[in-house]
Amino acid sequence: MEHELKEVIKKCDIAIKQEDFDTLMNYYTDDAILVVKPEMIARGKEEIKKAFIAISKYFNNTLVPTQGEMIILEAGDTALVISQTLLDADKNDNEYSMDRRATYVFKKNSQGEWLCAIDNSYGTELINK
């Protein structure tokens, strides 16, 4: 059986592709962090939304994220997602890999919904930067 988090992440990817950042923010905790790039972190929904708008512009509004292989490790109301994250865009001169081994941390809220608390598409590559 597919883990429900796979569907949540798919909805997030669609929202990014469609640049529907208001909907995307519904999938983040209020105190979430987003690793924008190594040594640059957005904190909270307002900063994360601004970061996604800037990221979209950087990729000429053509960014399409998808997930490949995914492992979900769940303990109570917390889940670690290790995922092959594939980024596609019309921009060729990106200094960062478009094929990443991402790590995401999700928390289940009181309504039973999974929300992203840590969004790190760089995964362990942060160690190398």
Side-chain angles (χ1 to χ4, degrees):
M1 186 170 148
E2 287 288 306
H3 196 285
E4 61 190 310
L5 261 174
K6 288 186 177 184
E7 186 61 29
V8 170
I9 293 168
K10 184 177 179 180
K11 288 178 182 179
C12 291
D13 287 345
I14 291 168
I16 292 168
K17 177 183 175 186
Q18 295 175 346
E19 298 183 5
D20 184 358
F21 302 122
D22 288 330
T23 295
L24 181 62
M25 291 307 100
N26 293 332
Y27 294 101
Y28 283 87
T29 62
D30 290 335
D31 60 349
I33 66 168
L34 166 71
V35 179
V36 179
K37 60 184 180 180
E39 300 180 17
M40 181 184 285
I41 293 175
R43 296 179 186 281
K45 289 183 179 184
E46 187 177 323
E47 282 187 24
I48 291 171
K49 182 178 176 182
K50 286 179 185 176
F52 272 112
I53 291 168
I55 291 165
S56 181
K57 285 184 182 177
Y58 175 81
F59 286 107
N60 303 318
N61 303 90
T62 63
L63 184 62
V64 179
T66 56
Q67 308 302 313
E69 293 295 318
M70 188 180 295
I71 296 171
I72 299 170
L73 304 171
E74 185 178 344
D77 66 350
T78 305
L80 171 65
V81 179
I82 302 167
S83 182
Q84 177 188 27
T85 299
L86 307 166
L87 304 174
D88 188 30
D90 287 343
K91 187 173 182 69
N92 294 325
D93 60 342
N94 180 32
E95 66 179 293
Y96 300 104
S97 173
M98 300 293 275
D99 181 352
R100 301 178 181 174
R101 300 296 185 266
T103 54
Y104 309 116
V105 176
F106 281 81
K107 299 281 290 176
K108 196 177 273 191
N109 67 13
S110 58
Q111 291 80 37
E113 302 165 317
W114 287 105
L115 301 176
C116 186
I118 301 172
D119 184 340
N120 173 22
S121 70
Y122 296 91
T124 59
E125 284 299 309
L126 291 180
I127 295 169
N128 301 332
K129 301 292 178 187

